[in-house]
Amino acid sequence: MTTLRHFTASAIVFDDHGQVLLVHHNKLGQWLYPGGHIDPNEDPAQAALREVREETGVTAEVVCDPLFAHPAITVHAPPYAILEMQVSDSTIGVHQHVDMVYVLRVLSGELTAQLEEVCAALWVPIADIAELDTPAELPALISDAARWAKTRW
């Protein structure tokens, strides 16, 4: 039997005050970083930036190491991590999400939750994430991403 996989992009968004942007996901009932499915003709980084803007109203930029450049090709920013996890929903059932997780730095925007997908959006001090109802791996992933990001801006 073939495993059904969906490709998604997500964003761990940091501000300049040691906080991370989280959304309370309607379907899952937990705090997560913004993200969602990659649209046709969209690269993963574009999807992560779009999802952040749609779900929270915030504009951000991808944080990464300097990229190789050549006029004959397009080079895409690599994700911070690629995670695969099992998910289930009432429409598709059990399937896998291959999630390309980017680290972003906030640029501007008033924080406003998109209520169709998330019931809340807020900035959380990194040290306080473990106190929230999140997926098990989220506090460690965000702490690691914060350490990584500090050396890149």
Side-chain angles (χ1 to χ4, degrees):
M1 184 167 124
T2 303
T3 301
L4 178 62
R5 286 185 167 143
H6 289 184
F7 290 90
T8 60
S10 300
I12 302 172
V13 184
F14 295 110
D15 67 8
D16 292 327
H17 308 289
Q19 300 181 106
V20 65
L21 180 59
L22 296 181
V23 296
H24 197 269
H25 196 275
N26 287 343
K27 286 184 186 177
L28 301 176
Q30 290 184 307
W31 289 97
L32 307 168
Y33 40 72
H37 289 87
I38 299 170
D39 287 344
N41 297 317
E42 185 176 53
D43 72 52
Q46 290 170 334
L49 291 164
R50 175 186 50 77
E51 288 288 346
V52 167
R53 196 172 46 257
E54 287 179 357
E55 293 182 4
T56 69
V58 168
T59 301
E61 65 183 353
V62 174
V63 176
C64 66
D65 291 324
L67 299 175
F68 170 78
H70 192 279
I73 59 171
T74 299
V75 178
H76 295 277
Y80 168 72
I82 300 174
L83 311 175
E84 187 166 351
M85 64 209 80
Q86 183 172 297
V87 297
S88 180
D89 66 39
S90 59
T91 306
I92 300 167
V94 176
H95 59 287
Q96 298 294 112
H97 275 186
V98 177
D99 190 29
M100 285 150 262
V101 182
Y102 289 84
V103 172
L104 274 58
R105 181 179 184 193
V106 68
L107 295 175
S108 64
E110 184 177 329
L111 192 58
T112 51
Q114 177 195 22
L115 299 179
E116 297 82 32
E117 291 189 39
V118 300
C119 63
L122 57 92
W123 289 103
V124 178
I126 295 166
D128 295 348
I129 296 167
E131 298 171 21
L132 300 173
D133 181 14
T134 68
E137 73 284 354
L138 195 94
L141 179 62
I142 290 175
S143 293
D144 191 70
R147 282 189 296 277
W148 178 87
K150 279 183 185 179
T151 64
R152 286 158 177 83
W153 91 61

